[in-house]
Amino acid sequence: MVTISVAGAPARQADARAILSAFGLSLGGSTSGVAAGGRFVPEPGGPIVETFDPSTGDVLAGVRCAGQPDYEAAVAAAQAAFARWRQVPAPRRGEIVRALGDAFRARKEDLARLVSLENGKILGEARGEVQEVID
């Protein structure tokens, strides 16, 4: 990997650290990107995919992907969850979806800052993207 140096990079790294820390992540660290059965798999067996700051080329973080056994467990858990979910009455499902929207709304600014950092978007555009998820 080539790291590009730019004026103000220490300030950019400080911003990146603050943005990532809002999600319990560390700059240059890695986290699981695999969830099954309502939990993240702590050590999935797939490769680590790095994400980069488009303004500096620096690694922001790594996401550990699923290996074949992780994938199979996630599919089985999703099938079981769907069987339970379809038995939930529609009004209750609506309440759950509304609660998800509320959770996104409560973290809207943090999420927008993360989208901006990772995608190089201006903050206003990132806010709009998060609002689309909420809507």
Side-chain angles (χ1 to χ4, degrees):
M1 186 201 87
V2 176
T3 300
I4 302 167
S5 295
V6 293
R12 180 68 175 170
Q13 286 183 347
D15 288 345
R17 276 189 188 86
I19 292 166
L20 292 171
S21 71
F23 296 95
L25 303 171
S26 60
L27 184 63
S30 64
T31 191
S32 174
V34 181
R39 295 187 178 93
F40 277 94
V41 176
E43 295 290 332
I48 293 179
V49 176
E50 293 179 324
T51 182
F52 300 90
D53 181 335
S55 69
T56 65
D58 292 337
V59 173
L60 292 170
V63 178
R64 291 187 302 271
C65 297
Q68 188 65 33
D70 305 311
Y71 170 78
E72 290 169 5
V75 169
Q79 288 172 331
F82 177 69
R84 291 187 308 273
W85 178 252
R86 69 181 179 195
Q87 299 300 315
V88 175
R92 177 66 183 131
R93 288 195 312 256
E95 290 172 12
I96 293 167
V97 171
R98 182 192 49 74
L100 285 169
D102 290 345
F104 275 100
R105 204 171 285 108
R107 299 292 305 269
K108 183 178 177 179
E109 190 64 19
D110 289 336
L111 289 164
R113 292 180 69 211
L114 182 62
V115 168
S116 177
L117 173 66
E118 189 175 29
N119 293 290
K121 294 182 179 217
I122 61 170
L123 193 52
E125 189 174 325
R127 286 180 181 128
E129 204 168 291
V130 174
Q131 186 62 50
E132 286 180 20
V133 171
I134 293 168
D135 292 345

